[in-house]
Amino acid sequence: QIQRALRSLSIPLERLHIMKGHMVQDMCKGLSRQTHAQAKVRMLPTYICSTPNGTEKGNFLVVELCQSQVRTVLVTLYGDGNMSPQMMYKIFDLPEGITQGEGEALFDFIAQCVSQFLTETISPDSSGSEQHLPLGFVFPFTCQQTQLDKAELLSWSKGFNCSGVVGKDVVQLLQSAINKHQLFHVEVVALMNDTVGTMMTCSTEGRPCEVAIVADKGSNCCFMAEAHLVETTEETSGRMCVNTEWGCFGDDGTLNDVFTPYDESVDVESSNPGEKRFEKMVGTLYLGEIVRHALIALTAEKAIFTGISTGVLKEKGVFTMQHLLDIVNNEDGITDVRRILEVLGLQPNERDCGRVQQICRAVVGRAATLHATGLAAILSYMCQTRDMESLMVNVGMEGELAVGYPRFEEILLSVSRLLSPECMATLLPSRDGSGRGAAMVTAVALRLAAQRREVDEVLAPLRLSRADLEKVQALMKAEMERGLGKETNASASVRMLPTYVTHTPDGTERGDFLALDLGGTNFRVLVVRVTEDGITMGSEIYVIPAAIMQGTGEELFDHIIDCIIDFQTKQNLVTQMLPLGFTFSFPCQQVGLDKALLLTWTKGFSASGCVGQDVVQLLRDAAKRKRHLGMQVVALVNDTVGTMMACGYDDPKCEIGLIVGTGTNACYMEEMKNVGTVEGDQGRMCINMEWGAFGDNGCLDHLFTHFDQVVDETTINPGKQRFEKLISGMYLGEIVRQILMVMTEKQLLFQGKPCPKLQTKDIFKTKFLSTIELMETLLLTVTLVWGSNGLALRQIRAILNELELDATFEDSVLMKEVCQTVSLRAAQLCAAGMAAVVEKMRENRGLDQLSVTVGVDGTLYKLHPRFSDNLQKTLKDLAPKCDVTFLLSEDGSGKGAALVAAVANRAANAME
């Protein structure tokens, strides 16, 4: 009988693995908005989003409502790592009957306790007597918390049943009572339970503590979860402490096979049969009762206490947790066990004492093992949702079982390690979680609130209102009009250059066409074959040696022709004269479809004899020198126009081109009658806006922040391309770097420690924005059960390592917010410019609703995880009468240039 009883109280490792899996499943249910109501592990959000970092300082008041007392604590922190807080306590007994009376009377009494405590601890003459005093309220009842300082009581327990409180915000009830006592300098800023306080207390011991277990009369655990997984809140960034309320685990029957007859008896005799089944197996309120019922059963089976009176065992509560601990912890034979049993009124023999001790150790050992199983579930969940190969974490612990049972720590570590070998926990005993810990919660809340105010102050100039964007839209439209006007073009910041492209593809283009894409040290030659079945392409990349880039114009264009001849030879195209579209990505004044004067070289080119010359003619002259007759240059285009044309072949409604990459630009089909810089009123012409220079005349100065000005001043063209410097990929990383440096100076990042590498210009690459924001996008789209994308998280760490930044998790979250703010502004400004374009097209055509497609290219648009969505959402808001579709371009500078040549060829054939 004894062995059978002991086996029933021992749970095999395989069964613990299954239990751990069930716990994780129920945790996920508790976090999900859809299944939260059905979950037994409630996973309640605490709205605590950070642990102490040691910089907290000041006076903090704590009020704890206990079973029969009110405890007040004044904690002073010195910003010294929270290693030596000063603490003063006072305990007040609750008046008889107050726990069953009116709620107003209860909260009024608590406020009286606060008033008396402050009178006794803070001198009226001291400077701190009327200083703002934040208060943390430890309220150990089930609440629906919706903010750190807002929680509605769901139900009373533990003998309390005050009227007029259930369904009310208990924080507000306490604050009102405090105000009635003229304590206007006392503000209730946080409500919490003792489990959270335990975690916060242990966070002062060096590394942050992110898990806490309370093994006391009740049992509970809390941990720092990824905030985006806590679906019952609106928070999506960083982490949030979740109060598991795991005491109800198993109420759905998942623990039935390990629930012994002794557990059943305890459950039936409890005030809430069928509820809190896990807690009834592990809480010290119940462990003595489990032992009592086991002894009753074994006595009935004549396995113990034969021939002696055991009536005392029928008395509920006679076997206390202290009796249990005294028996379990006795290592010196059975003398003390006999003494304890005799005090209870039993007359055991030596065998009885040994068997009672076995049962007690089995019950307490099982409780420790079940705590370890719950901890293993939480550790594995944390490791998985953070997508880490292994997890090292500090676990705070507190409570009668944790303190009173010497083997508790050993069992907790060994069993959790068996169940979660990928996780390594370090256990930290808590010191006064409900007092000192509550003060930590309050201190952290104030630190975060102050930090949030400062962060918002730094980022506020970059956050644009709808009115700001409408103004940008109006300014862009006005500058477009100026650029189109013959008299005003010269003074317009948006140049609105005619491209002499008057048609987009209509799908009837046929034939083979060459394209030349020259925009840097490498250039491409392509052949584009347009048939009824679609487009096929062949291409080759050629290098321009530095000596030729910086030599004479004849040498440069001769080299280009040599490469074209080489390409046509390889493609068996030498004998054909093919129309060629020339993408030339340098500043030009275009005076015809096939005529453009080079204004200046950029990108390291300085070939002589080219500036001021027609680059198409220079290419033709080189072909003559080389006696090459296999091509005919019919059009010169830039990459923006090429993008529009490439997409126009697939979608006839594509009449706008947009580039958002290293730089930014747009083009669109304008009515010829509005183009004052070109003769003729019939039809349409593609206008190359060159909108990167929008604002160079000062019209956007009100949007330029300090960070933008610093970036602008360090570029090779200060005061130029100002719109581009707010939007394009070349500058966004540098804007972020400037913000990070200011935040570090203000001690909002990296604890204010200098970051030498962050001082290096252009060290923060724009691709880092995409990586950092991609992490958040991936995290938001994962399933709730398990984690995110490990690659994204590893890339974040790689970025931090590359920048030699010693960043905490909170630092990473703030860096992400900075990146989001900068990229969102860029997308919104781009949308405001595009809204001006589509609205102008709609008005030009006298339409109530415009339907148009934008061909778009550029690494920022294509690779940034949110840029395109933010652009399209803002555009829809600013131009509701325009239905705009975005089509990603495939090779605008190659395929697009060939299609310009194809359309020109089609038009020429039609003329003939």
Side-chain angles (χ1 to χ4, degrees):
Q1 295 97 326
I2 290 292
Q3 290 305 314
R4 187 171 66 249
L6 292 174
R7 277 198 301 273
S8 72
L9 292 165
S10 176
I11 305 172
L13 185 61
E14 297 79 9
R15 182 62 183 86
L16 294 177
H17 273 292
I18 294 169
M19 190 184 299
K20 171 195 162 186
H22 285 153
M23 175 78 85
V24 170
Q25 289 173 9
D26 222 17
M27 287 165 58
C28 295
K29 285 175 67 176
L31 288 170
S32 169
R33 187 178 287 108
Q34 285 73 30
T35 56
H36 172 76
Q38 292 83 48
K40 298 305 178 185
V41 181
R42 295 296 305 279
M43 305 298 282
L44 301 176
T46 66
Y47 296 86
I48 293 167
C49 298
S50 182
T51 53
N53 65 6
T55 64
E56 295 81 10
K57 59 184 175 180
N59 292 321
F60 302 94
L61 185 60
V62 174
V63 173
E64 180 183 8
L65 180 58
C66 307
Q67 188 85 39
S68 58
Q69 298 169 325
V70 171
R71 190 168 76 119
T72 53
V73 189
L74 184 65
V75 181
T76 303
L77 302 176
Y78 296 100
D80 59 353
N82 299 329
M83 300 306 292
S84 55
Q86 178 182 325
M87 304 177 72
M88 290 182 280
Y89 301 84
K90 186 172 179 65
I91 294 174
F92 301 85
D93 291 326
L94 287 171
E96 189 174 346
I98 197 169
T99 61
Q100 303 292 316
E102 294 183 359
E104 185 176 354
L106 174 65
F107 285 96
D108 187 63
F109 176 74
I110 296 172
Q112 285 180 31
C113 297
V114 171
S115 179
Q116 184 178 335
F117 176 63
L118 292 179
T119 299
E120 294 175 7
T121 54
I122 300 179
S123 167
D125 300 327
S126 70
S127 59
S129 61
E130 290 297 322
Q131 285 185 352
H132 177 251
L133 191 56
L135 183 149
F137 187 20
V138 182
F139 189 72
F141 302 96
T142 305
C143 292
Q144 181 65 51
Q145 198 159 354
T146 52
Q147 293 176 22
L148 186 58
D149 61 351
K150 186 176 178 62
E152 292 182 3
L153 177 65
L154 296 179
S155 62
W156 286 113
S157 59
K158 304 173 187 176
F160 281 72
N161 193 22
C162 298
S163 63
V165 182
V166 173
K168 299 286 182 65
D169 177 5
V170 294
V171 173
Q172 187 56 51
L173 291 174
L174 179 57
Q175 187 68 63
S176 298
I178 287 172
N179 292 345
K180 277 173 58 179
H181 284 263
Q182 307 294 306
L183 300 173
F184 298 113
H185 61 299
V186 177
E187 180 188 6
V188 187
V189 300
L191 179 136
M192 72 224 71
N193 67 6
D194 54 353
T195 316
V196 176
T198 296
M199 184 185 77
M200 299 299 271
T201 302
C202 293
S203 291
T204 64
E205 308 297 335
R207 289 206 315 266
C209 176
E210 296 189 275
V211 186
I213 287 179
V214 170
D216 204 68
K217 290 181 172 57
S219 175
N220 198 12
C221 183
C222 67
F223 71 100
M224 295 300 289
E226 306 305 299
H228 68 276
L229 295 177
V230 188
E231 291 188 357
T232 50
T233 73
E234 299 302 317
E235 186 63 51
T236 59
S237 294
R239 292 177 181 147
M240 179 182 288
C241 180
V242 171
N243 173 22
T244 65
E245 291 291 344
W246 70 11
C248 294
F249 175 56
D251 288 3
D252 57 357
T254 53
L255 295 180
N256 284 358
D257 62 318
V258 294
F259 218 60
T260 68
Y262 324 128
D263 299 309
E264 293 285 0
S265 298
V266 172
D267 184 41
V268 168
E269 289 183 0
S270 69
S271 61
N272 54 348
E275 298 177 8
K276 296 211 166 188
R277 305 195 88 190
F278 185 72
E279 185 167 284
K280 287 170 184 171
M281 297 174 76
V282 301
T284 59
L285 186 64
Y286 306 99
L287 298 186
E289 282 296 284
I290 296 171
V291 169
R292 183 175 71 86
H293 279 286
L295 298 183
I296 290 172
L298 290 169
T299 300
E301 295 173 356
K302 299 189 181 335
I304 54 172
F305 302 140
T306 53
I308 65 172
S309 172
T310 57
V312 68
L313 292 178
K314 295 181 180 178
E315 185 181 335
K316 184 179 179 182
V318 69
F319 207 94
T320 67
M321 186 62 195
Q322 191 57 55
H323 292 140
L324 187 55
L325 290 173
D326 288 344
I327 291 172
V328 166
N329 295 335
N330 179 51
E331 302 291 345
D332 302 322
I334 59 170
T335 305
D336 286 344
V337 178
R338 184 191 299 274
R339 179 184 54 77
I340 293 165
L341 294 176
E342 288 176 347
V343 168
L344 289 173
L346 298 167
Q347 298 299 319
N349 58 35
E350 186 173 333
R351 187 186 69 168
D352 292 336
C353 292
R355 290 184 171 181
V356 168
Q357 189 175 48
Q358 280 182 293
I359 294 295
C360 289
R361 285 177 174 168
V363 169
V364 175
R366 184 184 70 160
T369 299
L370 290 174
H371 275 103
T373 305
L375 175 62
I378 284 169
L379 295 181
S380 286
Y381 179 83
M382 291 173 69
C383 189
Q384 291 281 356
T385 53
R386 297 180 185 188
D387 206 71
M388 302 172 74
E389 293 180 3
S390 61
L391 175 73
M392 294 183 65
V393 67
N394 285 345
V395 178
M397 61 177 191
E398 189 168 34
E400 190 176 12
L401 183 62
V403 174
Y405 179 38
R407 289 197 63 217
F408 182 82
E409 183 174 336
E410 174 197 335
I411 294 171
L412 201 64
L413 286 175
S414 61
V415 175
S416 65
R417 196 72 201 273
L418 282 171
L419 296 174
S420 300
E422 76 280 13
C423 303
M424 177 71 76
T426 300
L427 300 183
L428 302 173
S430 171
R431 288 175 287 168
D432 190 11
S434 57
R436 179 176 168 183
M440 294 298 179
V441 172
T442 309
V444 169
L446 289 181
R447 172 173 63 80
L448 292 180
Q451 176 180 301
R452 172 44 50 193
R453 286 192 296 271
E454 285 201 73
V455 167
D456 287 342
E457 187 178 323
V458 171
L459 296 180
L462 294 118
R463 291 174 170 153
L464 304 179
S465 66
R466 194 177 193 281
D468 292 329
L469 296 173
E470 287 172 342
K471 184 174 181 181
V472 172
Q473 180 180 349
L475 287 168
M476 176 67 85
K477 185 180 179 184
E479 285 299 298
M480 289 169 68
E481 299 285 3
R482 286 167 58 83
L484 289 170
K486 187 175 183 178
E487 305 300 327
T488 54
N489 172 267
S491 61
S493 65
V494 181
R495 295 296 305 281
M496 304 298 282
L497 303 175
T499 67
Y500 298 89
V501 172
T502 55
H503 297 85
T504 54
D506 64 4
T508 65
E509 294 80 12
R510 299 288 182 270
D512 292 351
F513 304 91
L514 291 175
L516 173 61
D517 178 13
L518 176 62
T521 54
N522 296 336
F523 74 100
R524 289 186 305 153
V525 184
L526 305 91
V527 59
V528 178
R529 296 184 169 92
V530 186
T531 67
E532 289 183 7
D533 297 326
I535 292 179
T536 58
M537 295 192 299
S539 67
E540 188 157 342
I541 296 174
Y542 294 91
V543 176
I544 303 177
I548 292 179
M549 288 170 59
Q550 296 159 12
T552 67
E554 284 192 3
E555 291 170 340
L556 173 61
F557 283 94
D558 283 351
H559 176 71
I560 292 170
I561 291 295
D562 285 338
C563 295
I564 292 173
I565 292 171
D566 176 74
F567 178 77
Q568 287 188 266
T569 301
K570 291 176 180 176
Q571 297 284 335
N572 294 319
L573 297 171
V574 178
T575 59
Q576 302 179 48
M577 179 175 283
L578 298 180
L580 181 144
F582 186 8
T583 298
F584 188 71
S585 300
F586 298 91
C588 288
Q589 179 186 352
Q590 197 154 357
V591 291
L593 182 60
D594 61 349
K595 186 169 185 174
L597 308 180
L598 176 64
L599 298 178
T600 181
W601 283 118
T602 57
K603 307 174 189 179
F605 282 72
S606 60
S608 61
C610 298
V611 174
Q613 300 299 308
D614 176 6
V615 292
V616 173
Q617 192 57 49
L618 292 175
L619 187 63
R620 287 172 176 159
D621 292 345
K624 284 180 183 178
R625 286 193 296 274
K626 296 288 183 177
R627 302 181 186 279
H628 181 56
L629 304 176
M631 60 169 225
Q632 178 187 5
V633 186
V634 297
L636 182 136
V637 297
N638 74 356
D639 53 357
T640 315
V641 178
T643 294
M644 181 187 76
M645 297 296 277
C647 293
Y649 182 81
D650 298 315
D651 183 350
K653 290 199 300 182
C654 183
E655 297 185 84
I656 303 172
L658 173 65
I659 301 287
V660 194
T662 308
T664 183
N665 194 16
C667 67
Y668 73 103
M669 296 302 290
E670 177 61 84
E671 308 302 308
M672 276 293 294
K673 63 184 180 183
N674 295 332
V675 186
T677 52
V678 176
E679 297 297 326
D681 291 336
Q682 298 303 309
R684 294 171 182 156
M685 179 180 288
C686 180
I687 297 297
N688 170 22
M689 294 178 66
E690 290 293 343
W691 79 1
F694 175 44
D696 287 5
N697 58 359
C699 67
L700 294 181
D701 283 1
H702 64 288
L703 291 181
F704 254 61
T705 67
H706 162 73
F707 312 112
D708 301 311
Q709 289 165 2
V710 172
V711 171
D712 181 42
E713 288 165 3
T714 57
T715 60
I716 60 172
N717 56 346
K720 303 294 183 183
Q721 298 293 108
R722 304 200 84 192
F723 191 58
E724 184 168 87
K725 288 171 184 173
L726 299 174
I727 291 177
S728 74
M730 180 175 283
Y731 306 100
L732 298 190
E734 187 62 8
I735 294 171
V736 168
R737 185 181 74 86
Q738 295 294 334
I739 297 170
L740 297 183
M741 287 197 298
V742 167
M743 286 189 168
T744 304
E745 289 172 17
K746 292 178 176 288
Q747 298 193 332
L748 300 173
L749 275 172
F750 319 126
Q751 294 188 323
K753 297 173 184 174
C755 306
K757 204 156 186 181
L758 202 56
Q759 306 292 324
T760 308
K761 185 177 182 291
D762 296 325
I763 195 72
F764 199 97
K765 302 176 179 65
T766 295
K767 69 177 182 181
F768 292 171
L769 276 77
S770 296
T771 303
I772 289 170
E773 293 193 55
L774 178 63
M775 178 188 76
E776 180 72 4
T777 303
L778 289 166
L779 291 176
L780 288 170
T781 57
V782 294
T783 59
L784 194 58
V785 178
W786 287 136
S788 59
N789 183 298
L791 176 62
L793 292 172
R794 285 190 290 273
Q795 286 175 329
I796 297 293
R797 297 183 199 117
I799 290 170
L800 297 174
N801 290 336
E802 185 174 336
L803 298 175
E804 297 175 6
L805 296 176
D806 183 17
T808 64
F809 181 80
E810 284 79 10
D811 289 335
S812 301
V813 171
L814 184 50
M815 285 174 67
K816 185 203 72 188
E817 183 180 354
V818 172
C819 292
Q820 285 179 335
T821 302
V822 171
S823 69
L824 174 61
R825 182 185 67 158
Q828 289 175 328
L829 289 171
C830 189
M834 188 52 61
V837 173
V838 296
E839 273 296 305
K840 187 174 191 313
M841 291 176 70
R842 185 185 68 80
E843 292 171 6
N844 284 347
R845 300 175 188 188
L847 298 173
D848 292 331
Q849 195 77 21
L850 172 71
S851 181
V852 69
T853 297
V854 179
V856 60
D857 202 352
T859 51
L860 185 60
Y861 185 93
K862 286 183 172 180
L863 300 182
H864 191 282
R866 292 185 172 182
F867 190 94
S868 59
D869 287 344
N870 288 332
L871 167 58
Q872 293 175 40
K873 179 182 175 183
T874 306
L875 177 58
K876 189 171 185 179
D877 182 49
L878 294 175
K881 294 182 179 180
C882 300
D883 181 16
V884 184
T885 302
F886 284 79
L887 183 61
L888 280 176
S889 168
E890 293 180 17
D891 193 11
S893 55
K895 174 182 168 184
L899 283 167
V900 172
V903 171
N905 193 59
R906 185 195 80 208
N909 291 339
M911 288 283 289
E912 290 174 8

